[in-house]
Amino acid sequence: MTENNVVVDTRTEHKEGKLLTIENLQVWFELRRFGFGNAGYVKAVDGVNFDLHYGEAIAVVGESGCGKSSLMKTILGLNIPTRGEVTFDGTKISGMGTKGLKWYRSQVGYVQQDPFGALAPFMTVERILEEPLIINGVKSKTERLRRIHKTMEEVKMFPVDDFLNKFPHMLSGGQQQRVVIARAMIMEPKIIVADEPVSMLDASVRVEILKLMRGLQETHNLAMIFITHDLSTVRFFSERIFVMYAGKMVEKSPVDELLDDPRHPYTLALLAASPEPDAANAHTYKEVPPGEPPSLVTPPPGCRFHPRCPHVIKGLCDEKEPPEFLTGPEHYTACWLFQSEQA
Amino acid sequence: MKSLQRSFKELLRYPSAVASLAIILVLLIVSAYTLIAIPYGEAIVLWRGGENIWYQSPKNAPPAWTNFFTSKKLVETMIFNTDDEDINKTYEVSEAGNQTVTFEFPIDYQFDTFPQELTLFTKGTFVEKAPFISIVLVTPDGREIRITDFAVQKTGTYRFSQDDRLARRVGNQFPHEAIFAQPGSDPLVPLKGEYVMKLSLVTFEADSDVDAELVVYGQVYGIAGTDHLRRDLKVALLWGIPVALAFGLLAALGTTITTMSISAIGTWYGGWVDELIQRITEVNLVLPLLPILIMVGTFYDRSIWTILGVTILFSIFGGGIKTYRAIFMQVKESPYIEAARAYGAGSGRIIFQYLVPRIIPMLIPQLVTLIPSYVFLEASLAVLGLGDPVLPTWGKVIQDAQSNGALYQGLYYWVLEPAVLLMLTGLAFAMLGFSLDRVFNPRLRGI
Ligand SMILES: Nc1ncnc2c1ncn2[C@@H]1O[C@H](COP(=O)(O)OP(=O)(O)OP(=O)(O)O)[C@@H](O)[C@H]1O
Ligand SMILES: [Mg+2]
């Protein structure tokens, strides 16, 4: 299982179908009271299911604290799932063992939000890019340099040699994020996980970086899952969009389908609150959600959105958790309002 | 590398840093010189050799340069030897077949006091009949004082001060003082000028000869003076430099590096590892190092390496563990560490390549400021009588001075010399540490 073979696989075959499967994933963090005793759990991710296909980009949206980063870190193998499974290319990561997990990590690139913080301040660009190669056993220095050059060119850092000896603080934010992307790409992974990759960048370079990522995704047939708050660009940079609320996916749909025909009341509220709503549909997103996001320690029974929902059905929404209803082509909505459509 | 150069340039902007670097440089050069000029073996012999090594120096004599600061010029030690090139022996054969050998020691006496003592060491070469020597001192005003005459044995020591007959001849005074005094003065006043000590001997055998060495023990000696055993303090003061630097540096490096590593390991793994380290530190923080070192020195071994080892061992779990932990706790949460985990970096790599380098800029000034505290510790131990039994060090000079009542006797140089060196060393490293802190700290704000 050397990474070289795997890369050849990705390139030549342009596989389709499921690459990553998330089944009933729960990520709970134990709350400790003054260091002693259990004071309950923060249910950051609580029962999430989805498939990620080869070469597909998924955007995850949701308000702050709903568990998006926790989900990403679990996919990266940084959080251990409390329950449920992450399956990569047919192999469960929980059963991979230390070596397998290391290989899996080389297959998943990580792009963080704060590019400066994501780069070790005392390492040069060359060293930063070399680290994953060294760790994953690329022994020859010339081979490492070759791959560093190739990747730097792919993220459009020209001329490469001018950047290799620079420290992160000598680069602009956009350049720093390109280095972060290069580092995520250097092991020629199959998936890129990006946690708000442009939210800390200058507005002027955001689209550029998104385009770069989209380009890489297309040329390498990369699967990508990224968190965003910017609904105005989502349409152009992803195939599907998932709406997350309090540790659960409330709506999963192809991008155009969701933006043109949002179903879940929370999605509507989210789109209304979006700073740059799609002008054509602006009038449909009028409901602003009252109240606060629910506690993740003791989430409300039934639908987690019901305390804020304007369409709450008493006796149903506050008691039974809604399953996912098919509300359009590949469009799933976890809301009792669409119970009838399903039938 | 470049950033190091930049830091160094920035450092040179601080005058205190330049001064401290200069002092440290001088100390380093002098210790290199010492190690070459007085190698370990020789230093040990010079310091622990015994009477036959030190016989040429006066007892408890301040350094010669003290003469610059006193109006009275104190006697400097002078040594005359028949082996010296400018001392010529004249040989004459008498009718009886005996040979007379004469030679002179010219004593240029320009001092306002008297010598501590005057001793003639003789070495006779003969088979059966010992040669006979007679000594006369010609004073600058032309008087000839007959000192003594005796048969020269294989080795002999003639101490002027203990010759009662000579004492009577010079009017019941101390002979070594009276012979250099103005005639009739009371109390004795030295007579400055050129003295000549004439030694003539009669030998009774062919090839029979005498070698002689006259030592005028001064009241000042060399650049560092001497102690109660006539030892030249220069040896100890010079050797004290490399010993102090090595002890300070090794102890500071040893403790800092291990403390930092342990702290990083504890912080990274967390859980019981961290708990254990924290508890050990807390217990260790209330254990007093000095009494423990005294116990080790008393019951086990006083070698400087043992003491160094114990010092490092007990200093590892010091306050540093807590300080570094606070920083590591923050660094541990950095996105770049998370990224490293995401691309598969193992714990060992993260600790030593990602966590530790982050605090090195903060570490360097601390390390430098730590050096003098260990230098002082070694000196304090020596003062308490727990110094290395073999090596000459500053602390041991102070201890000797103290146990021989140097300050009561007014022998201030004995205490001041090592003390000044200690302070100078401490000051240099402390100032350098503070300057380094100023250079490195602005960059630490990011942590
Ligand atoms: N390691 C952890 N230990 C305990 N609680 C955690 C941990 N990581 C996350 N949480 C909690 O889980 C919840 C979800 O956090 P998460 O970072 O996943 O939110 P998010 O959706 O990424 O938010 P944002 O948009 O602000 O980044 C939060 O309440 C957070 O406090
Ligand atoms: Mg987040």
Side-chain angles (χ1 to χ4, degrees), chain A residues 29 42 44 63-70 196 229 296:
Chain A
F29 299 107
V42 179
E63 64 198 331
S64 180
C66 70
K68 304 180 298 293
S69 297
S70 303
E196 304 186 40
H229 286 292
L296 291 179

Tab-separated table of all heavy atoms in Angstrom, chain A residues 29 42 44 63-70 196 229 296, ligand 1:
chain	number	residue	atom	x	y	z
A	29	PHE	N	-18.097	14.730	23.491
A	29	PHE	CA	-16.965	15.102	24.355
A	29	PHE	C	-17.427	15.058	25.790
A	29	PHE	O	-18.454	15.646	26.127
A	29	PHE	CB	-16.453	16.504	24.011
A	29	PHE	CG	-15.947	16.636	22.608
A	29	PHE	CD1	-16.675	17.318	21.650
A	29	PHE	CD2	-14.752	16.053	22.230
A	29	PHE	CE1	-16.221	17.432	20.352
A	29	PHE	CE2	-14.295	16.156	20.935
A	29	PHE	CZ	-15.025	16.852	19.993
A	42	VAL	N	-20.892	16.688	25.638
A	42	VAL	CA	-21.218	17.639	24.579
A	42	VAL	C	-21.411	16.797	23.323
A	42	VAL	O	-20.462	16.208	22.819
A	42	VAL	CB	-20.085	18.663	24.369
A	42	VAL	CG1	-20.451	19.620	23.242
A	42	VAL	CG2	-19.787	19.403	25.641
A	44	ALA	N	-21.397	16.880	20.095
A	44	ALA	CA	-21.031	17.774	18.997
A	44	ALA	C	-21.513	17.226	17.659
A	44	ALA	O	-21.960	17.983	16.799
A	44	ALA	CB	-19.523	17.979	18.976
A	63	GLU	N	-24.833	27.086	11.800
A	63	GLU	CA	-24.347	28.182	12.639
A	63	GLU	C	-23.211	27.714	13.545
A	63	GLU	O	-22.955	26.522	13.690
A	63	GLU	CB	-25.491	28.811	13.440
A	63	GLU	CG	-26.130	27.877	14.423
A	63	GLU	CD	-27.503	28.381	14.876
A	63	GLU	OE1	-27.708	29.601	14.886
A	63	GLU	OE2	-28.352	27.546	15.216
A	64	SER	N	-22.552	28.693	14.129
A	64	SER	CA	-21.371	28.412	14.947
A	64	SER	C	-21.711	27.450	16.088
A	64	SER	O	-22.740	27.581	16.737
A	64	SER	CB	-20.856	29.730	15.510
A	64	SER	OG	-19.725	29.484	16.288
A	65	GLY	N	-20.858	26.491	16.305
A	65	GLY	CA	-21.019	25.569	17.420
A	65	GLY	C	-21.922	24.387	17.123
A	65	GLY	O	-22.248	23.615	18.021
A	66	CYS	N	-22.337	24.206	15.863
A	66	CYS	CA	-23.248	23.100	15.581
A	66	CYS	C	-22.504	21.790	15.367
A	66	CYS	O	-23.120	20.755	15.147
A	66	CYS	CB	-24.140	23.434	14.385
A	66	CYS	SG	-23.241	23.482	12.834
A	67	GLY	N	-21.195	21.820	15.390
A	67	GLY	CA	-20.446	20.558	15.310
A	67	GLY	C	-19.767	20.308	13.990
A	67	GLY	O	-19.300	19.205	13.723
A	68	LYS	N	-19.654	21.332	13.159
A	68	LYS	CA	-19.063	21.146	11.831
A	68	LYS	C	-17.581	20.759	11.937
A	68	LYS	O	-17.148	19.781	11.338
A	68	LYS	CB	-19.193	22.442	10.998
A	68	LYS	CG	-20.605	22.967	10.851
A	68	LYS	CD	-20.675	24.223	10.029
A	68	LYS	CE	-19.927	25.413	10.600
A	68	LYS	NZ	-20.492	25.950	11.849
A	69	SER	N	-16.839	21.521	12.723
A	69	SER	CA	-15.414	21.206	12.852
A	69	SER	C	-15.215	19.840	13.483
A	69	SER	O	-14.312	19.097	13.098
A	69	SER	CB	-14.712	22.260	13.692
A	69	SER	OG	-14.790	23.508	13.058
A	70	SER	N	-16.038	19.517	14.459
A	70	SER	CA	-15.909	18.211	15.100
A	70	SER	C	-16.090	17.106	14.079
A	70	SER	O	-15.379	16.096	14.103
A	70	SER	CB	-16.951	18.062	16.204
A	70	SER	OG	-16.798	19.107	17.125
A	196	GLU	N	-13.604	26.059	6.738
A	196	GLU	CA	-13.684	27.487	6.417
A	196	GLU	C	-12.382	27.982	5.800
A	196	GLU	O	-11.710	28.853	6.358
A	196	GLU	CB	-14.006	28.298	7.671
A	196	GLU	CG	-15.285	27.828	8.337
A	196	GLU	CD	-15.693	28.719	9.489
A	196	GLU	OE1	-15.541	29.942	9.343
A	196	GLU	OE2	-16.161	28.212	10.511
A	229	HIS	N	-19.451	29.593	5.348
A	229	HIS	CA	-20.562	30.430	5.812
A	229	HIS	C	-21.042	31.299	4.670
A	229	HIS	O	-21.994	32.051	4.809
A	229	HIS	CB	-20.113	31.321	6.970
A	229	HIS	CG	-19.942	30.568	8.239
A	229	HIS	ND1	-21.000	30.011	8.912
A	229	HIS	CD2	-18.844	30.236	8.941
A	229	HIS	CE1	-20.554	29.384	9.979
A	229	HIS	NE2	-19.237	29.502	10.012
A	296	LEU	N	-25.935	21.538	23.472
A	296	LEU	CA	-25.508	20.254	22.909
A	296	LEU	C	-25.369	19.198	23.989
A	296	LEU	O	-25.199	18.024	23.721
A	296	LEU	CB	-24.169	20.410	22.175
A	296	LEU	CG	-24.212	21.233	20.886
A	296	LEU	CD1	-22.827	21.333	20.279
A	296	LEU	CD2	-25.166	20.624	19.881
C	1	LIG	N1	-12.143	18.740	22.129
C	1	LIG	C1	-13.327	19.150	22.596
C	1	LIG	N2	-13.663	18.929	23.870
C	1	LIG	C2	-14.850	19.335	24.357
C	1	LIG	N3	-15.773	19.980	23.635
C	1	LIG	C3	-15.505	20.235	22.347
C	1	LIG	C4	-14.253	19.842	21.765
C	1	LIG	N4	-14.269	20.246	20.463
C	1	LIG	C5	-15.458	20.844	20.255
C	1	LIG	N5	-16.200	20.853	21.381
C	1	LIG	C6	-17.537	21.392	21.531
C	1	LIG	O1	-18.337	20.831	20.508
C	1	LIG	C7	-19.234	21.798	20.005
C	1	LIG	C8	-19.099	21.880	18.505
C	1	LIG	O2	-17.856	22.465	18.198
C	1	LIG	P1	-17.340	22.638	16.726
C	1	LIG	O3	-15.979	23.216	16.809
C	1	LIG	O4	-17.472	21.350	16.023
C	1	LIG	O5	-18.339	23.706	16.153
C	1	LIG	P2	-18.346	24.396	14.708
C	1	LIG	O6	-19.601	24.018	14.074
C	1	LIG	O7	-17.096	24.091	13.993
C	1	LIG	O8	-18.373	25.914	15.091
C	1	LIG	P3	-17.694	27.157	14.352
C	1	LIG	O9	-18.523	27.494	13.190
C	1	LIG	O10	-17.727	28.224	15.389
C	1	LIG	O11	-16.301	26.725	14.004
C	1	LIG	C9	-18.930	23.096	20.709
C	1	LIG	O12	-19.892	23.278	21.733
C	1	LIG	C10	-17.583	22.889	21.286
C	1	LIG	O13	-17.461	23.597	22.493
